[in-house]
Amino acid sequence: MTLDGELAKRMYSDMWRIRLFEEEANRQTGLGNVVGTLHLYCGEEAVGVGICAHLRDDDYILGTHRSHGHCLAKGALMDDMMAELFGKETGTCSGKGGSMHVADLSKNILGANGIVAGGIGPATGTAMATKIRGTHQVSVCFFGDGAAARGPFHEGILMGSLWKLPVVYVCENNGYQQWVRRENVAVVDSVATMAASYGIPGVSVDGQNIVEVYEAAEEAIDRARRGEGPTLIEARTYRYFGHSLGDREEYRTREEVDEWRNNRDPINIFRGYMSERQWLTEREDEEIQAAAKEDVAAAVKFADESAYPPLEAAHTDVLDTEWRVDA
Amino acid sequence: MSTLTIRDALHDAIHEEMERDESVFVIGEDVVAHGGPYTVTEGIAERFPDRIFETPIAEAGIVGVGVGAAMAGMRPVVEIMYLDFITCAMDEVVNQAAKMRYMTGGQASVPLVIRLPCGLGRYIAAQHSQIMESWFMHVPGLQVVVPSTPKDAKGLLKTAVRSPDPVLFFEYKRIYTAEGEVPDEEYLIPFGEAETKREGEDVTVVAVGPMVGKALKAGVILEDDGYDIEVVDPRTLSPLDTETIRASVGKTGRAVICEEDSSFAGTGAEIAAMIAENCFKDLQAPVVRVGMPHVPMPFAPPLADSVVPQVDSVVDAVRRVMA
């Protein structure tokens, strides 16, 4: 799919929706409406949006603890997501999952995941299911560079390659594994080079440049859909907020964060690209931002006005209690 | 009726379910070459070549793939060559498979069966002989199934394949060759329904897996003592049919709980606590547990045989509660 002005505007709008959703979610923690923790996606928007732009509704995505952006990019409703962060019964998971477990199975968003690398095996499994059924659906698994240290990364990608499954492994390398710089704990700089161990293509792209992400994603997703097997995409990116709430961020400097925010911001970069091609007027830009802001405000209102789940809900959905077999 | 071994009953259950439902597939180590070390998956590769996957030695990957395929509507039957190796996939079982339905507010279903050859087989020591049922009983969202006869093995495995939630299916290696009558017509055995394998008046013996056969043998020996034991086989430990156990203890007033696994913090501990909470006034003697001591499985055959409870262990326990 060629990137044209219309598609670019939709992607640009998605980036803003994610950016503002995240900033508002963060603000809501200060108000006590969002409790627990949050892993914010600000700074990394180009990755989720650039990848999901190629996905069909029936393609699968699986994510990480930092997956609000993936879910929004794949089409989860902002109202339901904000309500989930608030722990309300109208949330995507009826208030039983929270930020780290947002999922909307009606859109084949199989869930954020609180375990690093936790989605890699399951994404390989959804790909196996679609291969057996011959439906040409693609599965995308997002994970951070920290996941590349874990066994399930190795085992999952190995099997994805072995059976030539229609899956794309997307590493969002934001340079930090929680509070530790990647170079302190990793022995190869680029996660993409690890693809060689599994006999699949590995590509490293500038994750702040959505056009680069989009082009790499197109090739990888098409390849998967054609039945030629997985690709490992590494998107070099950066998170503006700390790892999670309450991170004192002593492991990095203010200057470093400002450098990325001011000079490598994915929204600014994409705005520049679109403006050069006259795909975006100032007025359209303003309208896109205003609409996103309105949607976020509506989502907060929806979440705020929704009720907490009834206490009985703590006891349901452990097993399917309706299910019976006849003796 | 036909006479089958537990191995044959499991083999037939998988073939029948694969024939019935195209979403059922088999995945595991060596499942093609020999039908697995216990040959349970024999013949599947010839009959359903597109629905059997032999894997690298990578249990976390195997179970992870199973979880995802199940969430996408397939019904994977995973074989873990030795139960002990499931510890390499604990995240996939405990954090992923078990929690998905709950964390998604009921949206996700994980119809995954994990078959687990377990217990003392040949003498292969501490990393190839464990049982661990109680580990998984402790995790909400998992179902723990333990057949003791060919009939139960077949009926329970067919039910497991159809279950919308994950099942850990314990297959004791030493009773794969045990024979029994199996109905020729199709049947399913619901989870959460214990079966009283022998009726009696004096002592309730709750027996798990291979301890059922040993308890039945003990029952014959104990007749000479004048003791008439009732043997209750829970068949599924989670969900647990507490009603049948309570009714039996209500009748007999005495309980012995037998498992091959270590008693400490084990299956028997849960059942004993349940009996204490519900049947205290019925009890005429303290509940007695029969199990393995809290040690790893030793290698030397005389040592291994000495720690696994045998028929005599049941006999002694019953005599104790009757004394």
Side-chain angles (χ1 to χ4, degrees):
Chain A
M1 199 170 11
T2 319
L3 182 57
D4 59 20
E6 199 175 318
L7 175 59
K9 269 198 277 268
R10 281 208 302 277
M11 289 163 61
Y12 182 74
S13 162
D14 279 349
M15 291 170 86
W16 269 113
R17 286 165 52 80
I18 294 167
R19 174 71 54 90
L20 297 179
F21 179 91
E22 294 292 66
E23 287 178 354
E24 183 60 29
N26 190 42
R27 202 177 74 84
Q28 291 294 328
T29 63
L31 303 175
N33 289 328
V34 173
V35 297
T37 194
L38 284 180
H39 304 80
L40 298 167
Y41 198 61
C42 294
E44 305 188 10
E45 295 90 345
V47 188
V49 174
I51 300 281
C52 290
H54 294 286
L55 295 182
R56 303 193 322 212
D57 287 348
D58 65 348
D59 288 335
Y60 289 98
I61 67 164
L62 289 92
T64 69
H65 50 283
R66 196 182 308 286
S67 262
H68 304 163
H70 309 139
C71 297
L72 286 169
K74 182 70 169 50
L77 298 180
M78 209 182 250
D79 285 7
D80 301 358
M81 282 186 56
M82 191 63 86
E84 187 60 33
L85 267 50
F86 275 55
K88 298 298 182 68
E89 68 175 340
T90 54
T92 51
C93 303
S94 311
K96 292 167 81 164
S99 165
M100 277 191 280
H101 306 295
V102 171
D104 183 347
L105 270 75
S106 71
K107 299 188 164 65
N108 281 356
I109 299 167
L110 295 202
N113 204 305
I115 305 295
V116 169
I120 296 177
T124 307
T126 56
M128 176 182 255
T130 61
K131 178 159 180 167
I132 293 172
R133 290 197 291 248
T135 51
H136 302 285
Q137 288 156 279
V138 171
S139 297
V140 171
C141 186
F142 295 97
F143 50 89
D145 60 295
R150 291 210 58 232
F153 168 91
H154 166 70
E155 297 187 16
I157 299 180
L158 171 61
M159 289 186 203
S161 174
L162 175 67
W163 296 312
K164 284 198 169 12
L165 299 180
V167 53
V168 178
Y169 300 105
V170 180
C171 175
E172 299 177 311
N173 181 353
N174 65 21
Y176 291 93
Q177 299 182 14
Q178 185 151 329
W179 302 338
V180 178
R181 277 183 189 278
R182 172 167 173 78
E183 57 260 37
N184 293 1
V185 290
V187 290
V188 292
D189 174 52
S190 168
V191 175
T193 59
M194 297 171 81
S197 308
Y198 311 108
I200 60 170
V203 284
S204 190
V205 298
D206 177 358
Q208 306 312 91
N209 184 336
I210 197 167
V211 181
E212 262 193 46
V213 175
Y214 181 86
E215 285 169 358
E218 178 160 41
E219 197 171 331
I221 290 166
D222 286 353
R223 176 182 142 84
R225 222 183 285 287
R226 286 196 305 268
E228 291 169 22
T231 302
L232 173 57
I233 297 176
E234 174 191 45
R236 299 282 189 144
T237 184
Y238 196 78
R239 58 167 158 78
Y240 292 168
F241 288 91
H243 165 73
S244 58
L245 292 187
D247 181 350
R248 287 182 295 178
E249 298 184 61
E250 286 164 352
Y251 50 84
R252 64 183 184 179
T253 63
R254 193 69 246 167
E255 291 70 35
E256 181 186 291
V257 180
D258 288 343
E259 161 64 19
W260 283 81
R261 273 188 183 268
N262 298 333
N263 300 321
R264 303 191 61 183
D265 180 69
I267 294 181
N268 285 341
I269 291 171
F270 197 31
R271 182 197 289 118
Y273 179 90
M274 291 170 73
S275 300
E276 270 173 35
R277 283 159 186 72
Q278 285 156 0
W279 286 354
L280 184 74
T281 64
E282 260 182 52
R283 176 146 179 208
E284 285 170 328
D285 190 7
E286 280 165 19
E287 281 169 2
I288 284 169
Q289 291 187 49
K293 213 169 172 180
E294 219 167 275
D295 287 351
V296 171
V300 169
K301 185 166 186 288
F302 175 78
D304 199 40
E305 289 172 357
S306 295
Y308 283 111
L311 297 184
E312 302 87 79
H315 307 276
T316 59
D317 301 324
V318 179
L319 296 170
D320 178 357
T321 51
E322 304 286 299
W323 174 73
R324 294 275 181 281
V325 294
D326 296 323
Chain B
M1 290 279 184
S2 304
T3 303
L4 297 181
T5 61
I6 286 184
R7 176 266 168 203
D8 292 339
L10 295 168
H11 168 275
D12 291 358
I14 298 173
H15 275 260
E16 286 179 21
E17 290 304 294
M18 291 187 79
E19 179 70 43
R20 183 187 64 81
D21 182 349
E22 284 190 349
S23 67
V24 181
F25 72 91
V26 167
I27 179 169
E29 296 157 5
D30 288 340
V31 289
V32 171
H34 300 288
Y38 301 97
T39 68
V40 172
T41 57
E42 201 173 47
I44 293 171
E46 291 74 38
R47 205 166 150 202
F48 308 103
D50 301 331
R51 286 192 279 145
I52 184 162
F53 298 88
E54 57 182 353
T55 68
I57 301 166
E59 290 79 11
I62 295 167
V63 180
V65 164
V67 171
M71 288 179 78
M74 300 297 286
R75 291 183 177 271
V77 177
V78 167
E79 176 169 316
I80 297 295
M81 184 180 288
Y82 287 88
L83 159 87
D84 313 68
F85 308 161
I86 197 69
T87 55
C88 301
M90 282 307 261
D91 172 60
E92 287 68 22
V93 176
V94 174
N95 290 320
Q96 312 297 339
K99 307 280 194 295
M100 281 303 163
R101 177 181 296 281
Y102 194 84
M103 293 191 306
T104 61
Q107 296 177 80
S109 176
V110 185
L112 170 69
V113 179
I114 305 178
R115 296 182 35 245
L116 301 162
C118 70
L120 181 65
R122 290 174 291 142
Y123 297 97
I124 40 181
Q127 295 175 338
H128 291 72
S129 308
Q130 293 172 82
I131 297 167
M132 298 180 183
E133 290 141 352
S134 60
W135 290 33
F136 300 101
M137 287 168 66
H138 195 66
V139 180
L142 299 178
Q143 301 170 100
V144 177
V145 178
V146 191
S148 68
T149 66
K151 181 184 171 199
D152 288 352
K154 186 175 179 192
L156 288 167
L157 184 54
K158 285 170 69 83
T159 301
V161 170
R162 300 183 194 196
S163 168
D165 292 297
V167 175
L168 292 151
F169 198 92
F170 288 77
E171 301 172 5
Y172 281 75
K173 289 170 289 200
R174 281 229 165 144
I175 58 172
Y176 270 128
T177 52
E179 290 185 339
E181 297 273 282
V182 176
D184 295 321
E185 65 280 5
E186 161 132 298
Y187 66 99
L188 300 166
I189 297 175
F191 291 172
E193 288 189 15
E195 185 174 70
T196 302
K197 295 282 204 275
R198 173 194 160 115
E199 293 196 2
E201 298 300 321
D202 298 328
V203 181
T204 299
V205 176
V206 181
V208 178
M211 291 311 295
V212 173
K214 294 177 196 175
L216 291 171
K217 284 185 185 147
V220 175
I221 293 168
L222 287 159
E223 283 169 11
D224 292 341
D225 296 51
Y227 301 149
D228 181 19
I229 69 168
E230 178 149 296
V231 177
V232 177
D233 176 359
R235 301 197 291 193
T236 65
L237 294 174
S238 182
L240 180 64
D241 179 357
T242 57
E243 260 175 59
T244 299
I245 297 169
R246 283 152 60 179
S248 176
V249 176
K251 178 176 74 173
T252 63
R254 292 180 170 86
V256 169
I257 306 152
C258 306
E259 62 186 307
E260 280 201 0
D261 203 359
S262 152
S263 298
F264 184 77
T267 302
E270 174 56 33
I271 296 173
M274 188 277 292
I275 292 171
E277 283 173 342
N278 294 282
C279 312
F280 187 73
K281 289 181 181 155
D282 300 317
L283 288 173
Q284 296 170 45
V287 175
V288 169
R289 284 180 290 163
V290 173
M292 188 172 153
H294 202 37
V295 296
M297 182 64 72
F299 163 64
L303 299 187
D305 291 337
S306 79
V307 295
V308 175
Q310 305 297 341
V311 175
D312 284 351
S313 322
V314 185
V315 170
D316 292 346
V318 169
R319 286 179 180 154
R320 247 197 298 159
V321 296
M322 290 302 295

